[in-house]
């Protein structure tokens, strides 16, 4: 079947989680003929470095023009030109984000959307400037089939759209083979706890700060914070009030550096009040890094029996669990072994196969 990924996310992200999701699908479809997916509509104009690396995208020659509105407008012109040339239309259009209204320039095509989470709809109080997912609702109602990255996200979707009557396929995410525990003789773990990702609102970073302040006098371990941008003024002030300014480091690592950070950490701490999937959980487990996870539905779904869980707002319980992972080598090794076993259930090949099933259901809907 001929499948087109629209250009929305590739016109928006030079790097990023959702664009990486579609790139992983593209690589599997290009390399596995058994999946019987022929990607159409490429190459496109893009700012995405990885799409260019695999030969599916090019940038405009004038750098300042490589912005989403310009790229999307130019890609629409290219698509119209292909239509005039009577190039075969795609059987399925897979929309990559929700910036624009559902694209109906291919009336003979079926339309698929991936739902990564319903957090802005469930917790609007955390999004003062409005829903960042823009026109997601219109895409949901226009879709011929929907992929959800977790059972949790599927339940959330149906709770908000109870009358939805299209096929919904759960397509759990995979994790790159670059995330691995490394050689057996790489030595002892490093002396730091690890936090990865955005920190605002429902991400609950404040609970981790409180927990770390409770145990800071009992351990020499530091806290390494990855991604999410530099600390905001309020965060820096809180860190100083807690007396932790010399114990907390913020890093913006490359992918290769992030892999090493996972391998060396005492554990990953993921205190989020809600997630649609929670990819750092998989990255940590694949790297042999124990995962301390808030007991929110998606994190429990992904972590299974390999995660060590705590109530999302209980900083004292979290501090106790962080100390146990630090001091109990046998316990830490048990969590590592469980994580490596658990992560074997997830792969991008499986994601691609389940998404291909979603395309088939869209065609037969």
């Amino acid at each position: 079947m001929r499948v087109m990924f629209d250009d929305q996310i590739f016109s928006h992200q030079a790097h990023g989680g959702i664009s990486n999701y579609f790139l992983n699908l593209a690589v599997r479809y290009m390399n596995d003929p058994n999946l019987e997916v022929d990607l159409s509509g490429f190459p496109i104009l893009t700012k995405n470095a990885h799409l260019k690396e695999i030969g599916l995208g090019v940038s405009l020659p004038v750098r300042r023009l490589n912005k989403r509105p310009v790229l999307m407008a130019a890609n629409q012109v290219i698509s119209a030109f292909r239509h005039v040339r009577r190039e075969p239309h795609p059987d399925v259009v897979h929309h990559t984000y929700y910036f624009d209204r559902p694209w109906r320039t291919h009336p003979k095509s079926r339309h698929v959307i991936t739902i990564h989470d319903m957090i802005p709809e469930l917790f609007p109080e955390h999004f003062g400037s409005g829903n960042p997912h823009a026109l997601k609702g219109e895409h949901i109602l226009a879709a011929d089939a929907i992929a959800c990255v977790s059972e949790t996200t599927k339940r959330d979707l149906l709770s908000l759209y109870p009358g939805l009557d299209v096929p919904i396929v759960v397509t759990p995410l995979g994790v790159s083979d670059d995330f691995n525990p490394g050689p057996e003789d790489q030595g002892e773990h490093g002396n730091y706890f690890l936090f990865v990702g955005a920190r605002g609102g429902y991400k609950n970073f404040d609970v981790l700060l409180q927990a770390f302040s409770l145990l800071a006098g009992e351990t020499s371990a530091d806290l390494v914070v990855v991604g999410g941008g530099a600390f905001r003024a309020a965060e820096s002030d809180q860190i100083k009030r807690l007396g932790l300014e010399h114990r907390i480091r913020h890093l913006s690592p490359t992918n290769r550096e992030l892999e090493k950070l996972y391998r060396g950490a005492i554990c990953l701490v993921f205190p989020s009040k809600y997630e649609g999937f929670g990819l750092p959980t998989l990255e940590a487990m694949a790297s042999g890094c124990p995962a301390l996870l808030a007991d929110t539905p998606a994190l429990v779904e992904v972590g299974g029996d390999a995660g060590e869980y705590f109530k999302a707002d209980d900083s004292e319980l979290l501090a106790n669990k962080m100390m146990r992972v630090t001091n109990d080598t046998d316990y830490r090794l048990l969590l590592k072994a469980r994580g490596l076993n658990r992560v074997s259930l997830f792969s991008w090949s499986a994601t691609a196969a389940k998404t291909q099933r979603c395309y088939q259901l869209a065609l037969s809907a």
Side-chain angles (χ1 to χ4, degrees), residues 2 4 70 84 141 147 177 183 193 198 219 241 247 260 264 306:
R2 293 176 60 84
M4 173 185 286
V70 176
V84 169
L141 296 175
D177 292 339
F193 304 103
T219 176
R241 284 197 305 271
R247 302 286 300 278
K260 292 180 179 179

Side-chain angles (χ1 to χ4, degrees), residues 153-230:
T153 294
K154 178 180 176 180
R155 287 194 299 270
D156 292 341
L157 172 64
L158 290 174
S159 73
L160 292 164
Y161 293 85
L164 201 59
D165 187 25
V166 296
I168 302 174
V169 180
V170 176
T171 59
L173 305 181
V175 63
S176 168
D177 292 339
D178 293 332
F179 292 97
N180 59 73
E184 289 294 327
D185 61 350
Q186 66 180 358
E188 284 294 313
H189 63 81
N191 197 30
Y192 59 90
F193 304 103
L194 183 64
F195 175 93
V196 176
R199 302 184 299 276
Y202 68 93
K203 293 294 186 176
N204 224 19
F205 181 64
D206 178 68
V207 167
L208 174 54
L209 288 182
Q210 294 293 337
F212 188 56
S213 72
L214 292 174
L215 60 83
E218 302 178 40
T219 176
S220 61
D222 291 335
L223 173 61
V224 173
V225 178
V226 167

Side-chain angles (χ1 to χ4, degrees), residues 119-336:
I119 293 173
E121 293 82 3
L122 291 168
F123 304 103
E125 65 273 16
H126 292 299
F127 301 88
S129 58
N131 188 340
H133 292 174
L135 299 168
K136 181 165 63 176
E138 292 190 29
H139 279 274
I140 289 169
L141 296 175
D144 296 294
I146 297 173
C148 290
V149 299
S150 65
E151 291 286 353
T152 298
T153 294
K154 178 180 176 180
R155 287 194 299 270
D156 292 341
L157 172 64
L158 290 174
S159 73
L160 292 164
Y161 293 85
L164 201 59
D165 187 25
V166 296
I168 302 174
V169 180
V170 176
T171 59
L173 305 181
V175 63
S176 168
D177 292 339
D178 293 332
F179 292 97
N180 59 73
E184 289 294 327
D185 61 350
Q186 66 180 358
E188 284 294 313
H189 63 81
N191 197 30
Y192 59 90
F193 304 103
L194 183 64
F195 175 93
V196 176
R199 302 184 299 276
Y202 68 93
K203 293 294 186 176
N204 224 19
F205 181 64
D206 178 68
V207 167
L208 174 54
L209 288 182
Q210 294 293 337
F212 188 56
S213 72
L214 292 174
L215 60 83
E218 302 178 40
T219 176
S220 61
D222 291 335
L223 173 61
V224 173
V225 178
V226 167
F231 289 131
R232 299 184 301 276
E235 290 176 316
S236 296
D237 290 344
Q238 183 180 12
I239 290 169
K240 288 179 181 178
R241 284 197 305 271
L242 294 171
L244 300 174
E245 61 267 33
H246 301 300
R247 302 286 300 278
I248 298 179
R249 292 177 282 149
H250 178 269
L251 301 176
S252 298
T254 64
N255 287 344
R256 184 61 55 85
E257 290 167 342
L258 178 59
E259 295 155 20
K260 292 180 179 179
L261 286 169
Y262 275 120
R263 291 182 195 128
I266 298 169
C267 64
L268 170 76
V269 184
F270 203 163
S272 181
K273 292 182 179 180
Y274 217 83
E275 292 292 325
F277 186 85
L279 188 58
T281 304
L282 281 192
E283 294 173 343
M285 293 191 300
S287 305
C289 174
L292 298 190
L293 309 172
D295 61 351
T296 47
L299 298 185
V300 174
E301 178 183 342
V302 174
D305 67 352
E308 179 63 30
Y309 300 98
F310 59 93
K311 295 292 183 183
D313 290 322
D314 193 335
S315 56
E316 185 174 349
L317 177 60
L318 174 55
N320 290 335
K321 289 181 178 290
M322 291 168 72
M323 282 304 301
R324 184 182 178 191
V325 176
T326 302
N327 294 330
D328 190 336
T329 301
D330 290 341
Y331 178 60
R332 189 169 61 250
L333 291 175
L334 175 64
L335 291 178
K336 174 180 178 178

Side-chain angles (χ1 to χ4, degrees), residues 9-199:
I9 201 65
F10 299 117
S11 298
H12 177 65
Q13 286 186 335
H15 307 273
I18 295 178
S19 61
N20 284 343
Y21 159 79
F22 282 100
L23 286 162
N24 276 289
L25 291 181
V27 168
R28 270 68 188 178
Y29 294 143
M30 289 190 298
N31 293 334
D32 188 349
N34 292 323
L35 291 172
E36 299 181 339
V37 172
D38 179 19
L39 293 178
S40 69
F42 289 107
I44 61 172
L45 294 172
T46 182
K47 64 165 66 175
N48 190 274
H50 298 304
L51 193 69
K52 291 184 284 187
E53 287 173 4
I54 63 175
L56 296 182
V58 295
S59 293
L60 289 169
V62 181
R63 186 174 180 179
R64 68 175 181 273
L65 294 179
N66 286 293
K67 298 179 179 178
R68 176 163 56 90
V70 176
L71 292 170
M72 291 184 69
N75 281 322
Q76 287 186 18
V77 172
I78 293 170
S79 178
F81 179 68
R82 287 172 173 156
H83 182 70
V84 169
R85 291 179 56 187
R86 298 184 180 277
E87 293 186 10
H89 66 81
D91 299 305
V92 175
V93 176
H94 193 160
H95 299 279
T96 59
Y97 207 68
Y98 332 105
F99 293 119
D100 284 351
R101 287 185 163 80
W103 187 14
R104 290 295 180 181
T105 56
H106 294 276
K108 297 181 180 180
S109 302
R110 296 302 179 114
H111 294 256
V112 168
I113 186 73
T114 295
I115 304 299
H116 299 273
D117 65 69
M118 300 298 292
I119 293 173
E121 293 82 3
L122 291 168
F123 304 103
E125 65 273 16
H126 292 299
F127 301 88
S129 58
N131 188 340
H133 292 174
L135 299 168
K136 181 165 63 176
E138 292 190 29
H139 279 274
I140 289 169
L141 296 175
D144 296 294
I146 297 173
C148 290
V149 299
S150 65
E151 291 286 353
T152 298
T153 294
K154 178 180 176 180
R155 287 194 299 270
D156 292 341
L157 172 64
L158 290 174
S159 73
L160 292 164
Y161 293 85
L164 201 59
D165 187 25
V166 296
I168 302 174
V169 180
V170 176
T171 59
L173 305 181
V175 63
S176 168
D177 292 339
D178 293 332
F179 292 97
N180 59 73
E184 289 294 327
D185 61 350
Q186 66 180 358
E188 284 294 313
H189 63 81
N191 197 30
Y192 59 90
F193 304 103
L194 183 64
F195 175 93
V196 176
R199 302 184 299 276

